[in-house]
Structure formats: C-alpha cells, structure tokens
Amino acid sequence: MKTNLIRIGAAMSALLVAAPAFAQDLTFWSWRQEDKAAYEQFIDTFEAANPGITVKFETFEAANYNTILSTALAGGTGPDVMMVRAYGGLENVAAAGYLEPLSFETVPALADFAPAALAAESVRADGVVYAVPFASQTQLVIYNKAIFDANGLEEPKSWDELVALSQKLKDAGVFPFANGTATAWQNETVTFGLGSSLMGKDFYNGLMSGETDFTDERFTGALAAVADVAAKYFPDGFIGLDYPSAQQLFASGMAGMFIGGSYELANFKGQNPDIELGVFAAPGKSAEDEKLVGLYFDGGYAANAAGANKEASIKFLNYLASKEFGQAFADTLSNISTVPGVSFNNPLLAEVNELNQHSIPYLMLAHFRFGEPSGSVLIQGEMQKLFAGETTPEAIGEALTTGLAAWYEPFKK
C-alpha cells in the first residue's frame, strides 16, 4: 500500500512539473476578416505545440481598424498580440509606446528576414523593430489567359505593345482593363501598378537621394501615359466605377486585364474558380527597359508593451516568424510570406515572387505616409482630377512636391 502511494505521489509530481503553472489566454486582433478560418487553423497548430496557451482571434472592419486599435491600446484594453500596418501606420502606434520592441534575442528568426521587410516594421528614428513582417504585396497587371489566347495575345514587352494589345481587345468587343477609379485608393494602385517601369529605378534613386522631386519628367511622363491608357482602354465611365464593381467585371471574364495587387489573385479565383490567371510587370517605354513591379510590405504581428501575458505573446510571435508558419501562410492564403526559406507551390505565386526581384517600392505607401499631407491622399486626389481632364501631369508634380515639403525634408530646400 505504501509503495502504491509513493508511486501515485511521484506520478502526480511529474504531472505538476509538466503542466504550465497557469493557463495563458491571448487575444489576437486583425483586420483580415476574410482570413479568419485560416488563422484559426494556424492557431490550432500553435496551441497543440504549446499546451496551456490559448489564442482568441478577433477581427475588425479594415477601414476602422487603426482607430479601434489605437483607442484600445491608449485605454489599456488592447489585445496581447495584434496585426499592425507597416511604414507610417506602424510608427503611429509604435512611437506612442504601445508596442513591445523586438530583437534578434527575443525573436531569433528575425535575423534572417530581408532588411527591407524589417525596415517596414521599424521606427525610422531608432531602427528598432516592433513587428514580425507577414507578407509582401506586388502591384502589377493581372490578365485572363483565356481571353489573351482567344485573341492571339502575349505579354507585352514595351509600352507600344501594351497599347496595341489593348486596342486589339477593344476591337474584339472586350474591355481591355476592368479598372475604375471611383474608389480613391484605386487611383494610386493604377498609377504605380501601370507606371513603375516608366518611372524607372533611376528616378526612384534620385528621389530618395534628394537629387530630384516629383516635377521630374520621368514621373510626369509616366502619369501622362497612364492617363492616356485609362482614357482609351478603361471601361466607359470608369471614373464612376467603384472597386467591387471593377473586380466583378474582371472576375466574370468581361475584361482582359486588371491593374492591382497580388492580393487580388486569391480573390479572383474565389469569385471564379475556373478563371486562369497570368501576371506581368507593366512594361517601360522600350523592350530594353527593366520591367518593374511596385512592391511593399503589408503589415506585421506585434505584442502589446503593456500586455499581461508578454512571455506567451513573444512565444506566439516566434511561431509567427517560423518557417512552419510562413509555409502554411503561403499555401493557405496564396500570399507571399516574408519568412525566409518559404517555397511557393502555387505556380502563379512563384511567378509573382520572381517578378519581385525587379521592383521599386510602392512609392507613396513606403515613403510618403509619414506626415501630413500624406502622399497617398495627394496622388489619389490629383490623379482623379487628371483622369477627369481637370489638371495636367506637370501640375500634379508641382502639387506633390509642394504639399510634401510641409514635412519631407529633401523637398524643403
């Protein structure tokens, strides 16, 4: 009897050692409502490997997410872990002290992430990283392969070839592009998804070094070319065509091309599983010009600096920085994970990843959303006026340079 009691006592002691001291319930906030089911699968994997930690995934409407998150963090009721924006959107919450600083010691996998990805989730003043980057997005041209094949079309190598194939689609009774610009941010997408190669890396580098500004002819010339294509090859009344309607126009097979982000690919397949998609970087003026996509980092995963479950939160961030998670993210959500070493089993996603090797940053988001007025707000409003024939590319260049000079140091001189 005594021997049995000793054995039982020993077994109970072992169980007590193996079990966590107390359960930790993490809250995890996001604006990605459409990804809820996928994240719940990811969380199941994490919880199975980390008994005693549970994660509750909560989503909010994307347009109001930043305000909801900032208000909650300021009031001390924010989540343990949260998705945060990149660039200027990240700085707004990090600079206020709401986010836990990360390092290669606390999240070792970060040491292998691309510097540009880490920079998107850092505060410029000190270079401290505050979030694990989760995805990159690519602004390019998506096309319907069946429509291209039916009309004997190939991916264009020059701007003239892009114009010629657009005309051929129009002559065949097909909308060349599905895009509309009634939804303000689509003006920005169209501008850089179509015009990055025309602007070129030399312009981008000169802009960053302060050697030039937005009055540069390489920039204003690109705006003129984009506006000309829109006037001739976007749907009639495209200025009044909103984003969901434009998406539906393309997904239904009524248009040959759509200027947008790589994030559109899964959406179009979801709307029309039979659609066969292709992608290309909108070309420059000549076939010899480097074909560039607009690239940006979409956001990151951060921990609450004032959270009660910080140790568990950091453990969860380490999972979100792992190759295991990155691979599941890419496979499940058809997105370009920023985790190093992830392979892209979806051929279309692999093609996007190849296009990313020739890119410039998606300009206004990556560099000009850190102050007021925002470069995105300026370009969206000015391009809408250009599409309506109410301004000129040169006037836009002046408006951007003058407006951004309010806070962007190189333009103040």
Side-chain angles (χ1 to χ4, degrees), residues 179-184 187 230-231 234-243 383-390:
N179 296 83
T181 59
T183 304
N187 290 279
F234 281 18
D236 291 342
F238 71 91
I239 292 175
L241 183 66
D242 66 13
Y243 175 55
M383 286 303 291
Q384 185 75 329
K385 290 193 290 184
L386 182 63
F387 291 138
E390 297 171 357

Side-chain angles (χ1 to χ4, degrees), residues 390-407:
E390 297 171 357
T391 190
T392 66
E394 293 73 22
I396 292 177
E398 292 283 357
L400 287 172
T401 304
T402 302
L404 292 169
W407 61 270

Side-chain angles (χ1 to χ4, degrees), residues 255-290:
M257 295 176 284
F258 188 92
I259 306 157
S262 49
Y263 47 81
E264 302 284 6
L265 298 173
N267 174 60
F268 287 142
K269 289 294 285 186
Q271 290 189 53
N272 180 1
D274 296 326
I275 197 169
E276 189 176 0
L277 301 172
V279 292
F280 63 83
K285 187 174 181 180
S286 73
E288 290 72 34
D289 292 337
E290 186 177 9

Side-chain angles (χ1 to χ4, degrees), residues 28-49:
F28 176 25
W29 284 14
S30 169
W31 68 83
R32 298 291 300 175
Q33 295 175 322
E34 61 271 44
D35 296 341
K36 187 175 179 67
Y39 272 96
E40 287 175 345
Q41 291 178 23
F42 303 149
I43 287 167
D44 286 345
T45 300
F46 171 77
E47 289 179 344

Side-chain angles (χ1 to χ4, degrees), residues 151-172:
N151 290 276
L153 302 175
E154 296 180 351
E155 295 177 8
K157 296 179 175 61
S158 69
W159 193 261
D160 285 346
E161 287 186 14
L162 176 65
V163 171
L165 76 82
S166 298
Q167 186 62 50
K168 191 166 184 179
L169 288 173
K170 189 173 183 178
D171 292 343

Side-chain angles (χ1 to χ4, degrees), residues 253-342:
M254 296 179 67
M257 295 176 284
F258 188 92
I259 306 157
S262 49
Y263 47 81
E264 302 284 6
L265 298 173
N267 174 60
F268 287 142
K269 289 294 285 186
Q271 290 189 53
N272 180 1
D274 296 326
I275 197 169
E276 189 176 0
L277 301 172
V279 292
F280 63 83
K285 187 174 181 180
S286 73
E288 290 72 34
D289 292 337
E290 186 177 9
K291 296 172 182 61
L292 303 170
V293 293
L295 180 68
Y296 68 95
F297 295 93
D298 204 5
Y301 306 112
N304 189 337
N309 301 306
K310 201 174 295 185
E311 182 179 347
S313 296
I314 295 298
K315 183 171 286 191
F316 187 47
L317 289 186
N318 273 277
Y319 165 67
L320 296 173
S322 70
K323 185 177 177 181
E324 176 191 12
F325 170 76
Q327 192 63 59
F329 179 93
D331 291 342
T332 307
L333 295 175
S334 294
N335 252 292
I336 302 289
S337 168
T338 54
V339 176
V342 169

